[in-house]
Amino acid sequence: MSLEQPPPGQRASDNDRERAASVLQEAHTDGRLDFQELDERLTQVYAAKTQIELRDATADLVPVRDTSKPAEVMIRATHSSQKREGAWHVPERVAAELVHSSARLDFTDAAVHWPEVTVTANLTHSSMTMIVPVGWSVTLDDVELHGGSASNKTVGAGPNAVHLIVKGGARYSSLTVRHPRKRHWWWPWYRK
């Protein structure tokens, strides 16, 4: 028997199952799922134990674009710190302009309804950390570095997972994409 807890974001919570069920209900209301498919997928969602199983049940159901939510969010900071964590709604595009600042984007509990999310980061003497669930695929090929670093510490991209595309520039800055840290029973002050 292992005392080590599973990585956060990997196991599905009741709230995660309810969010996935609401996506299925919306698809049924729009006519994208018939009643039999809705019943089969709801059974799959309420039996899901992991985040990946939930994503598999809703992967082909891109929600109808809601015009009340912006397609892009701009994060600007000068000599500051910015955080997006918890159950925040992720748009298709996130832009960040940081000068002598830090930013932390935690996607593990976020509501992501897009197969692809693009983050455009323009960093000057700054640091940016993005925390993604296990299974996401990440591309850092379009980041221009000048005295900076960009590292992708993720592993194991899933077949139907979200694809994160990071582009922009890092001047004397660091850009890191990683999974949540493992929680151990002897580590009471856990931080993703």
Side-chain angles (χ1 to χ4, degrees):
M1 181 175 147
S2 172
L3 296 175
E4 187 173 299
Q5 296 291 324
Q10 189 174 12
R11 298 288 290 187
S13 69
D14 288 338
N15 288 339
D16 296 329
R17 288 191 265 292
E18 288 301 322
R19 276 194 296 259
S22 68
V23 169
L24 295 175
Q25 292 285 356
E26 180 183 339
H28 174 67
T29 304
D30 294 343
R32 291 180 280 156
L33 288 179
D34 63 20
F35 185 73
Q36 182 179 359
E37 288 176 310
L38 175 66
D39 187 43
E40 290 170 2
R41 290 193 190 202
L42 283 175
T43 303
Q44 183 181 356
V45 161
Y46 286 116
K49 299 219 183 295
T50 65
Q51 294 280 344
I52 293 173
E53 291 173 324
L54 289 178
R55 288 190 195 103
D56 289 344
T58 60
D60 62 338
L61 299 175
V62 177
V64 177
R65 183 176 297 275
D66 185 0
T67 56
S68 66
K69 295 178 186 169
E72 180 173 305
V73 168
M74 174 61 87
I75 299 170
R76 288 189 178 99
T78 303
H79 299 283
S80 302
S81 175
Q82 288 278 339
K83 288 184 183 178
R84 298 293 186 275
E85 52 191 15
W88 62 293
H89 290 280
V90 179
E92 286 181 279
R93 293 179 307 280
V94 177
E97 291 182 7
L98 307 177
V99 179
H100 298 282
S101 299
S102 66
R104 179 181 165 101
L105 303 179
D106 187 349
F107 294 98
T108 54
D109 296 322
V112 182
H113 299 294
W114 318 109
E116 238 179 47
V117 175
T118 303
V119 175
T120 304
N122 291 306
L123 313 176
T124 305
H125 296 279
S126 300
S127 68
M128 184 173 200
T129 302
M130 288 173 268
I131 304 169
V132 299
V134 175
W136 277 33
S137 59
V138 178
T139 302
L140 283 175
D141 297 336
D142 293 330
V143 177
E144 182 183 336
L145 299 174
H146 182 81
S149 67
S151 60
N152 179 6
K153 299 180 179 180
T154 62
V155 293
N160 294 325
V162 176
H163 182 64
L164 178 68
I165 300 169
V166 183
K167 51 185 168 178
R171 294 180 54 83
Y172 308 105
S173 302
S174 68
L175 181 66
T176 305
V177 183
R178 64 173 175 81
H179 295 302
R181 294 186 179 106
K182 288 186 178 180
R183 182 176 188 167
H184 301 282
W185 65 271
W186 66 85
W187 191 4
W189 298 283
Y190 172 72
R191 184 172 176 226
K192 286 184 190 175

